[in-house]
Amino acid sequence: MSVARFPRLLGAELRLILRERLTWAIIAALLAALCLAAWTGADRVARERTAIAEAADDSERAVREARAAHERYAKPSPIKVNYWQDPTDAFGFMTYFMAAYAVKPPTPLALLAAGQSDVQPAVTKISFGFSTVFDDTAYELGSAARLKLGPFDLAFVLVYLVPLAVIALAGTRLSAEQDSGVLRMIAAQPVGPRRVAAAKFGAVALVAVTGVVGGTGLALALAGGLGPLAGWETTLALLAAALATYVMLWVAVCALVASLWRGAVAALAILVLTWAGITMVLPTGLGIALDALAPMPSRIAAIDASRQAQALFSTAEKGARITAAWASRKVPDAAQHRPALVEAPEIKRLARDAFYDEALADHRESWHEHALAASAWSRRLALLSPATILALALETAAGTDAGRHADFLTAGGAYRRRLRTFFEPRILAQAMNPVPVCAGCPARLGFDAYDAVPAFEPAIPRATAQREALVALGCLLAGALLLTALTYRRLTEWPS
Amino acid sequence: MHIEQRELPQAEADNPVLAIRAAVKRFGARTALNGLDLTLRAGEVFALLGPNGAGKTTTINLILGFLKPDAGAVQVCGIEAGSDPVGARGHVAYIPEQVALYPGLSGIENLRYFATLAGLDLSVDASRRLLTEAGLPEEAQGRPAASYSKGMRQKVGIAVALARQARLLLLDEPTSGLDPSAAADFSVTVRHAAERGTAVLMATHDLYRVREMADRVGVLSRGRIVEDIDPKTLDHVALEHLYIERLAEITA
C-alpha cells in the first residue's frame, strides 16, 4: 500500500471512531468537565479581581479620608485630636490611616489553573500595627504535588482527567480487535501493523486533540473568555501546542501498550496503572524527594524566636535600652535636642520593628531560601513526569504557581521595608522638630505627602510563563516521539 | 468500482500459486511442521485434513506471513511470505473459521473498510454488487453486522476476497457451524471462484464438503502431508474410512 493511500485509511479509521457512541459519550463527558472547571476558574479569578479592586478602593479611601481630615484639622478649632486620629502625623498616618496592599493580580491566563491561589491569598495588607513579626512568611508554601488534587480547575481536568478520556478512546484500539477476531481479518490484508496502527492511533489522536483543545477553547468561551491577552498570545499558543502534545503522548502510550498484543482487559489494566503511576505515584514521590532536597526550616524554632524577641522587648528595661540604642543610631544628637525622644510611642514602635527584623533575620532568610530552593527543585523535578510538566506550565501561565507566590511574599516583605524607609525619616523629623500646621489647629504636625507614599508594583511573570510553556512543549514532544519510536520498533509483525 | 474477474494468461496459470517446500516450523521443543511440501496451481481446490494440532493453522499462518519457517520456503505467486509478508498477502484472501466484523458497521461498510486496508477504493454500488455476488441478501447489506449469522459474516468475507481478486483463497474450517443450505451455497461460491482461476486451500474436517468441493485432499500428520488423494476416485464412505484409518495410524 502506497503512502498516498494512507489518508484514505486514516479517513476510514476516523469514520469508524466517529460512528462509535462511546466516542461521543467520552467527548460529552469531557466537555462537561471542562466547562465546569472553566466556570469554577472564572469564578475564582473574578473573586480575586474583586478583592484586588477592593484593596485599591480601600487605599484610595484611606488617602481621601486622610486628606479630608487634614483639611478639617488644619483650621483653628477648639477640638483636640490624638496622634492616631491625626493624618498630619506621619506615624499616625502610617499606622492608622494608610491602607497599603501587596497584590498578586491574576494573569490573562489565570483561568487555567488554581495552583497555590486556592490556599494562598492574592492580596496582603501591609500593616504597621502590633502584629508584624511574620507577615511575609505567614503562609507556608507547599509543593505543587501536595496541592495537585485540590480544586476542580482546568489544570485538574487537563492534567488528570484528559489522559483517562484518551485511554477510554484509544486504550482498546487493536487489542479489542484482537479479542473479537477482527484483527485477524485486518492482518490478512496486504498491509503491515505499523500502517494500521498509525491510521488507528492517528485517527484517535485527531479526535482526541480536537476534542480536548477545542473543548477547552469552548469551555473558556462559555465561561466568559480570557479577555485581553496583552502580549500573552505566544504563551497561549505554546500551551495549546503542549496540551495537544500531551494528548498525543497519551495516545502514544496507548499505542505502545497495544503493541504488546495482550488483549483489551490487560491493555486497560496496564494503561490505568500507567495513568496512576504518572499522575499520582510519581508526583507524590517527587513531593517526597522535594522535602528531602529542600528541607523545610523549623517553624517551631521561628515561632519560638519570635516569642523570645517579643518577650525581650516587652521587658521594660530591655525595651527602653533597645529603643535608646536604635534612636542614638538614627539620630546621634537626639539626647541633646529631645531627651524624652525614646519615650515617644512612634520611636518605640520603629525601634521595636527594627529589633524584630534583626532578631528574626536568620529565620526569615532561611524561610526565604527554602521557598526559593523548593520552587527551583519543583521546577526541576516536574520534568520527570508529563503530568507535572503540564501542570507546572499551566500554573505558571495562570500565575498561581508556588514560585510566583514565594516571589509575591518576598515582594510583600520588601514593600513593607520600603514603606518604613519612606516613613522613618519623616517620623523622626516630626519627632525631633514637631511643627504644628497652624496656631490653634487640631492638626499637630505637617505631614501631607500622601501621594508620595510608594505603591506596590505587582509582577506579572510573562517571560517565565512563556519559558515554562516552551519547556513543557519540548519535553512532552520528546516523550511523545520516544514512545512513538518504541511503538514503531515493536510493531514489525502481526501477532500469529 | 466495477470488479471484473480476469482470465489468467497460460504462463501465469502454469506457475504454482502456492509453493511450500520442506517447510519446518518449531515452537520450542514441539515441531508443528516437519518438512511440509505443498504445491497449488490456479483453479485448484485443495482440502487439508488432519486432527487438531496436526499443523493446519500453522500452515495458514506461514502462508499469511504471520510466522516465518525455521527451514524451507513458503511462496505465494513467487513471493517469499516470510521475508515479504505484505507482498505475499497481496495475492491471498483469507476467510477464518469465525469471520469477525465490526459489529456497528453494516456489511457494506465492513467491506469498504477491509477494501481500504487492501488499498482499494470501493464505491457503495460496487460493494453492493460484490455482496450480492457473495450471496448476502440485499436487505441485509445495510444492516449492522452485529445482527449477522455466521453464514452472513462469511459472505462478507467472500465479498472481501472477490474485491481483492486474490489468486489464493485460504479457508479455515469454512463450513463448521453453517446450516446445510448455507454450506451448500458456500460450496457453490468456492467452486465459482476456482473456475475463475483462484487457487483454494481449505483446512477442514467436513469430509462431505471436501468431496464436493476439493480437487485434491491432503491428510496432514505430524507436520507433513502423508496422503494426497483425488476425492473423486472415492465415494463418501470410502473417503471417511480412509481418513479414520489414517487418524488411527497417526494416534497409534
Side-chain angles (χ1 to χ4, degrees):
Chain A
M1 189 164 139
S2 69
V3 173
R5 286 172 185 162
F6 182 74
R8 205 184 298 152
L9 183 54
L10 188 67
E13 291 295 344
L14 262 178
R15 281 193 293 278
L16 203 59
I17 292 166
L18 295 175
R19 283 288 298 272
E20 292 171 16
R21 282 185 194 157
L22 181 66
T23 303
W24 294 105
I26 292 164
I27 289 174
L30 186 63
L31 194 59
L34 287 167
C35 285
L36 178 61
W39 180 78
T40 56
D43 183 52
R44 177 186 58 76
V45 172
R47 276 188 279 113
E48 275 186 18
R49 291 209 166 106
T50 304
I52 289 170
E54 282 172 357
D57 287 348
D58 194 36
S59 296
E60 284 174 20
R61 176 204 53 77
V63 171
R64 207 168 44 244
E65 286 181 3
R67 280 191 202 290
H70 191 119
E71 203 174 315
R72 203 163 55 246
Y73 299 151
K75 293 171 190 161
S77 167
I79 62 166
K80 191 168 173 61
V81 175
N82 294 310
Y83 76 88
W84 60 85
Q85 298 168 305
D86 186 2
T88 66
D89 184 326
F91 180 66
F93 176 77
M94 179 186 90
T95 314
Y96 300 106
F97 279 84
M98 183 183 70
Y101 292 89
V103 296
K104 190 175 68 166
T107 70
L109 306 182
L111 259 74
L112 295 177
Q116 297 278 315
S117 65
D118 206 37
V119 288
Q120 312 270 30
V123 179
T124 301
K125 186 161 189 180
I126 304 299
S127 154
F128 290 91
F130 291 97
S131 168
T132 61
V133 181
F134 257 111
D135 275 357
D136 49 352
T137 51
Y139 299 97
E140 183 178 333
L141 283 172
S143 72
R146 288 204 191 99
L147 298 167
K148 63 186 177 297
L149 290 178
F152 193 83
D153 59 350
L154 272 174
F156 175 77
V157 176
L158 297 175
V159 173
Y160 298 97
L161 300 189
V162 158
L164 285 178
V166 173
I167 288 170
L169 278 172
T172 58
R173 303 275 149 202
L174 286 180
S175 53
E177 276 107 335
Q178 187 183 8
D179 288 351
S180 69
V182 175
L183 189 71
R184 201 154 167 84
M185 287 288 289
I186 292 171
Q189 310 308 318
V191 63
R194 285 175 178 166
R195 194 169 292 267
V196 173
K200 282 198 177 293
F201 289 100
V204 86
L206 275 175
V207 171
V209 167
T210 308
V212 171
V213 178
T216 307
L218 183 64
L220 287 171
L222 290 174
L226 289 169
L229 288 173
W232 286 67
E233 293 86 352
T234 308
T235 307
L236 186 61
L238 286 170
L239 282 177
L243 182 58
T245 312
Y246 186 64
V247 171
M248 287 192 280
L249 181 137
W250 279 101
V251 173
V253 172
C254 293
L256 182 60
V257 172
S259 75
L260 301 174
W261 303 120
R262 299 281 181 203
V265 173
L268 280 180
I270 293 169
L271 286 166
V272 170
L273 284 173
T274 306
W275 173 82
I278 289 178
T279 60
M280 291 185 189
V281 178
L282 191 53
T284 305
L286 296 180
I288 294 167
L290 182 63
D291 288 343
L293 291 164
M296 197 178 283
S298 167
R299 179 160 289 276
I300 292 171
I303 292 168
D304 189 47
S306 170
R307 283 187 183 145
Q308 281 182 29
Q310 290 180 58
L312 195 65
F313 192 84
S314 60
T315 308
E317 192 190 327
K318 195 79 175 166
R321 211 179 316 142
I322 290 167
T323 307
W326 180 84
S328 66
R329 261 203 322 275
K330 293 288 174 184
V331 193
D333 54 351
Q336 292 173 350
H337 292 96
R338 194 181 166 194
L341 186 68
V342 294
E343 295 302 321
E346 61 269 36
I347 301 303
K348 279 185 181 171
R349 185 72 60 80
L350 290 175
R352 184 202 67 176
D353 280 4
F355 173 67
Y356 285 173
D357 261 0
E358 199 181 327
L360 300 171
D362 288 348
H363 290 284
R364 207 183 298 277
E365 186 58 28
S366 67
W367 277 96
H368 181 58
E369 279 174 9
H370 166 258
L372 291 177
S375 170
W377 275 111
S378 276
R379 283 178 198 283
R380 281 179 216 133
L381 293 175
L383 299 179
L384 297 176
S385 163
T388 47
I389 289 173
L390 185 64
L392 182 63
L394 289 169
E395 285 180 8
T396 310
T400 56
D401 56 305
R404 188 187 182 207
H405 198 79
D407 291 343
F408 169 61
L409 292 179
T410 306
Y415 179 47
R416 189 171 182 279
R417 286 187 283 280
R418 205 170 141 219
L419 285 173
R420 203 168 57 197
T421 306
F422 173 82
F423 282 106
E424 200 175 86
R426 289 168 172 83
I427 291 168
L428 281 170
Q430 285 189 337
M432 289 296 294
N433 184 25
V435 180
V437 173
C438 66
C441 291
R444 296 171 310 134
L445 298 165
F447 177 76
D448 61 355
Y450 309 122
D451 291 333
V453 175
F456 183 77
E457 288 160 12
I460 307 284
R462 198 173 72 183
T464 310
Q466 192 169 320
R467 193 183 62 236
E468 285 298 335
L470 191 61
V471 168
L473 175 60
C475 292
L476 293 172
L477 194 59
L481 288 174
L482 178 69
L483 288 169
T484 306
L486 284 173
T487 309
Y488 183 83
R489 206 175 150 198
R490 282 193 56 81
L491 284 174
T492 50
E493 291 172 359
W494 289 110
S496 56
Chain B
M1 178 182 162
H2 177 63
I3 307 290
E4 278 183 16
Q5 297 296 328
R6 65 193 171 95
E7 292 294 325
L8 290 176
Q10 192 57 44
E12 205 177 325
D14 288 344
N15 288 332
V17 174
L18 173 68
I20 303 177
R21 291 188 199 92
V24 176
K25 184 65 196 175
R26 294 186 196 89
F27 297 101
R30 191 174 72 82
T31 302
L33 293 181
N34 188 17
L36 176 72
D37 285 301
L38 175 63
T39 303
L40 205 53
R41 294 187 185 281
E44 259 188 321
V45 179
F46 189 93
L48 203 55
L49 295 178
N52 292 336
K56 298 192 295 288
T57 304
T58 304
T59 307
I60 289 173
N61 282 340
L62 284 176
I63 296 167
L64 289 169
F66 296 161
L67 294 173
K68 287 186 173 71
D70 296 317
V74 178
Q75 288 185 336
V76 179
C77 298
I79 299 169
E80 194 68 49
S83 57
D84 182 7
V86 173
R89 284 200 296 271
H91 298 285
V92 183
Y94 168 60
I95 301 178
E97 182 181 356
Q98 296 289 340
V99 173
L101 303 172
Y102 283 108
L105 302 187
S106 66
I108 294 171
E109 288 163 333
N110 268 293
L111 171 58
R112 294 185 76 197
Y113 174 78
F114 287 111
T116 305
L117 283 175
L120 302 170
D121 187 16
L122 278 188
S123 68
V124 173
D125 286 345
S127 304
R128 281 190 192 285
R129 274 200 301 276
L130 285 165
L131 287 167
T132 305
E133 198 177 335
L136 188 70
E138 232 168 275
E139 65 272 15
Q141 293 173 7
R143 274 204 332 248
S147 66
Y148 285 8
S149 65
K150 182 188 171 184
M152 291 163 89
R153 290 201 306 274
Q154 255 182 342
K155 283 165 184 169
V156 176
I158 291 166
V160 174
L162 289 174
R164 296 266 316 280
Q165 300 188 61
R167 303 273 312 276
L168 174 63
L169 185 58
L170 286 182
L171 305 172
D172 193 358
E173 302 289 356
T175 52
S176 91
L178 289 185
D179 62 58
S181 163
D185 285 352
F186 186 79
S187 300
V188 171
T189 310
V190 170
R191 281 310 321 174
H192 279 168
E195 282 160 18
R196 287 176 191 138
T198 307
V200 180
L201 174 69
M202 59 178 181
T204 183
H205 292 293
D206 187 346
L207 295 178
Y208 181 81
R209 296 292 164 201
V210 161
R211 197 178 172 285
E212 202 171 62
M213 286 192 268
D215 301 312
R216 285 162 60 207
V217 176
V219 179
L220 192 63
S221 167
R222 294 188 179 126
R224 61 198 313 171
I225 291 174
V226 292
E227 194 86 52
D228 197 335
I229 312 158
D230 178 355
K232 302 293 183 292
T233 61
L234 301 169
D235 62 16
H236 287 114
V237 178
L239 182 62
E240 190 173 354
H241 274 225
L242 181 72
Y243 184 43
I244 291 169
E245 228 172 74
R246 287 285 171 265
L247 286 183
E249 284 170 17
I250 292 160
T251 49

